[in-house]
Amino acid sequence: GWPLEGFVRLKCLRKRKFHEIMTSPNHDSSIGTSDRPKQNLFVVDDDPFVRTSLSRRLQRDGFIIHEFESGESVVGYLDNVSSLPDAIILDYKMTGINGMETSRLIRERFPCIPVIILTAYLGVIDIDEAKREEVFEVLTKNVELENLRLVIQHAVNRNHE
């Protein structure tokens, strides 16, 4: 109903306003980069090795990572959290609900969160469906870390425009 929609909009607006303050010309840019807020990412994959290795690589790049083992767990967490992530990285093929369905549930509740889907094989994903569901990007799991970083940054920046 309306109260939940208003709450969701408020959460999205708070995140956008915070980003505007931190990137505004009036913000004290003399503060070191270590004092600036790090980007908060959710990594969702049912394979613990893939999830942990991706998370570690992104943590070394300065991202704050929260790991989830299923679509159900991340959706449940989002329904009860006060601070939204800057982006969510989802595996496509997971036990339980897949990445596309998880993305759909996230977008219904929190349209301001960009979703990036990773897959072992691009051929298994319906790209038209991904576009309809407003998935920010679909990438293969063997994506170069630098390319993934650029996609994440683009997703976060576009989300805060």
Side-chain angles (χ1 to χ4, degrees):
W2 185 86
L4 178 60
E5 290 172 14
F7 178 68
V8 168
R9 266 193 234 100
L10 181 61
K11 284 170 103 172
C12 291
L13 288 172
R14 279 186 188 151
K15 179 169 278 303
R16 188 167 291 126
K17 186 66 178 166
F18 179 74
H19 183 267
E20 287 170 10
I21 291 168
M22 295 307 293
T23 58
S24 76
N26 297 330
H27 180 70
D28 185 359
S29 59
S30 66
I31 298 173
T33 54
S34 62
D35 294 334
R36 293 207 177 160
K38 295 182 178 183
Q39 291 166 336
N40 185 18
L41 304 178
F42 287 4
V43 174
V44 187
D45 197 310
D46 61 342
D47 182 326
F49 176 76
V50 172
R51 184 178 65 243
T52 303
S53 61
L54 177 59
S55 295
R56 285 183 183 153
R57 289 169 57 197
L58 292 170
Q59 282 173 332
R60 281 194 300 267
D61 281 354
F63 294 102
I64 298 170
I65 304 296
H66 299 273
E67 297 180 25
F68 298 88
E69 63 185 18
S70 69
E72 294 91 345
S73 64
V74 73
V75 170
Y77 184 83
L78 283 168
D79 283 341
N80 296 299
V81 71
S82 61
S83 179
L84 298 176
D86 293 296
I88 298 176
I89 301 171
L90 294 171
D91 179 25
Y92 175 73
K93 188 175 180 185
M94 294 185 283
T95 306
I97 60 174
N98 69 25
M100 195 67 69
E101 181 62 24
T102 303
S103 175
R104 183 177 299 118
L105 292 170
I106 292 168
R107 299 287 301 164
E108 285 172 1
R109 293 165 169 82
F110 307 100
C112 63
I113 303 173
V115 173
I116 299 164
I117 292 183
L118 296 181
T119 182
Y121 306 100
L122 282 177
V124 301
I125 291 187
D126 181 344
I127 298 299
D128 290 330
E129 180 185 11
K131 288 178 185 176
R132 280 192 308 273
E133 295 301 327
E134 299 182 44
V135 170
F136 185 81
E137 188 72 67
V138 177
L139 302 168
T140 58
K141 284 189 176 183
N142 65 352
V143 64
E144 293 289 327
L145 186 57
E146 181 59 29
N147 290 339
L148 180 57
R149 264 191 248 120
L150 290 172
V151 168
I152 292 168
Q153 196 59 55
H154 184 63
V156 170
N157 289 344
R158 184 167 155 201
N159 182 41
H160 293 299
E161 289 177 349

